[in-house]
Amino acid sequence: GTLSNEKVDFKSRYDAARSYLDSLAKPVGSLGTLEDWAARLAVFQCSSKPTVEKVACLIFAGDHGVAKDKSDGGANCSAYPQSVTQKVLEGLEHNLAGASVLAAANDVNLRVIDVGLATDFGSTFGAGNVVAISEHKVNGGTENFCDGAALSNIELDGCILAGRKETKRCIQKMQEVQLLVFGEVGIGNTTSSSALIAALTGEPAANICGCGATTDRVGDENIILKKIKIIEEAIQCHSASQMINNPALALENLGGAEIAAIVGGMLEASERNIPVLVDGFIVTTAAMIAVLM
């Protein structure tokens, strides 16, 4: 039939999957978003009974120059110090982080890749079982994008390539992986993501910024105002009009190593017809950029 024929375009197979779901003994559309997900997975697997048993999660980590202390040339964009990025990776390495627990509970293959930590994770902890260091790592993390480009052209290409390589490696290792989940670690990356969305869409920073990682549930309005000011300063520093719908330039100017790596991973997964679960502000930003690439 239409659904099992790989030569038929995505939309036609998706419509066939939705028609099949509508024919089942339930009210039409009663399962909401779950039906959309099921139909998409059905298209990827060319089957009316898709399964999601082989799942992998790739978490990319990188530090941001804009999150450094002002005394180190940064802008203190976060409520947390930059050193927290490494602390989170320590937790992941020792299977103590939230992602570690969730991955173990759901039998998800988890791998963490350092593409831009400010410190040398490897020299501190040795060869890790969970955390790997990319050969394309941006040593020292990105630059403060309020003063210049966050990444050089070579660094950006390397990060995208790192994402592609890790995704390819994961797919080959697991064989027939049915779903990829991307994650990130990097103090300051909600600021970078907000800046990227503002630059690519022309939307005012005030309409995009939230608290990011906070120390309490309420959040601090002053942190948001500070973030807005930092992003406005950054966009003014670069050629704002040239970045609209120009993902590569925006990533160079305002991006993070881990965001660029996720973009690369998504592009690789797309080319291999592997579905990606998009969740969270930073990963959603990467998905938007991947679509534009």
Side-chain angles (χ1 to χ4, degrees), residues 12-286:
S12 296
R13 284 187 287 151
Y14 175 83
D15 289 342
R18 290 304 295 249
S19 294
Y20 172 74
L21 287 167
D22 291 345
S23 72
L24 300 177
K26 61 170 184 59
V28 173
S30 60
L31 298 179
T33 303
L34 191 60
E35 293 193 19
D36 177 41
W37 290 1
R40 288 171 181 270
L41 287 170
V43 173
F44 281 111
Q45 296 178 24
C46 295
S47 169
S48 60
K49 297 180 180 178
T51 59
V52 189
E53 294 171 355
K54 289 188 175 183
V55 182
C57 178
L58 294 175
I59 296 177
F60 293 95
D63 274 313
H64 293 255
V66 73
K68 286 183 180 178
D69 191 81
K70 285 189 175 180
S71 62
D72 292 328
N76 284 114
C77 70
S78 175
Y80 290 97
Q82 191 181 60
S83 58
V84 170
T85 305
Q86 177 162 318
K87 293 297 182 185
V88 175
L89 256 67
E90 289 176 33
L92 286 161
E93 177 59 36
H94 295 106
N95 298 308
L96 299 172
S100 311
V101 176
L102 288 170
N106 293 282
D107 197 25
V108 172
N109 185 290
L110 176 66
R111 180 172 165 89
V112 183
I113 307 97
D114 170 11
V115 287
L117 241 68
T119 51
D120 188 350
F121 189 86
S123 64
T124 309
F125 300 98
N129 295 317
V130 180
V131 180
I133 300 169
S134 172
E135 62 184 302
H136 302 287
K137 174 176 175 173
V138 177
N139 292 316
T142 62
E143 299 295 327
N144 180 0
F145 58 46
C146 290
D147 298 328
L151 294 160
S152 70
N153 183 260
I154 293 172
E155 288 171 337
L156 173 59
D157 289 347
C159 290
I160 292 174
L161 184 59
R164 280 185 172 275
K165 282 183 176 179
E166 286 294 338
T167 302
K168 182 179 179 180
R169 174 194 170 280
C170 174
I171 293 168
Q172 290 175 340
K173 180 184 176 184
M174 288 189 68
Q175 296 179 351
E176 297 182 11
V177 61
Q178 294 167 315
L179 183 71
L180 274 172
V181 182
F182 288 103
E184 40 63 35
V185 182
I187 294 299
N189 61 12
T190 55
T191 302
S192 176
S193 295
S194 297
L196 285 165
I197 293 172
L200 288 166
T201 64
E203 193 73 19
N207 292 354
I208 300 166
C209 289
C211 286
T214 57
T215 54
D216 58 47
R217 289 185 180 275
V218 179
D220 188 340
E221 186 68 25
N222 290 325
I223 290 175
I224 299 176
L225 292 173
K226 182 180 182 182
K227 190 182 291 189
I228 292 168
K229 186 178 179 183
I230 288 169
I231 292 169
E232 288 174 345
E233 184 182 336
I235 289 176
Q236 193 172 16
C237 171
H238 304 284
S239 301
S241 61
Q242 291 181 20
M243 289 189 289
I244 292 179
N245 293 323
N246 188 337
L249 182 60
L251 273 173
E252 269 187 47
N253 288 337
L254 306 166
E258 78 281 33
I259 298 171
I262 293 171
V263 170
M266 288 180 171
L267 292 172
E268 187 71 23
S270 176
E271 290 171 13
R272 292 170 177 268
N273 279 332
I274 305 294
V276 171
L277 178 65
V278 178
D279 179 55
F281 185 62
I282 292 94
V283 177
T284 301
T285 302

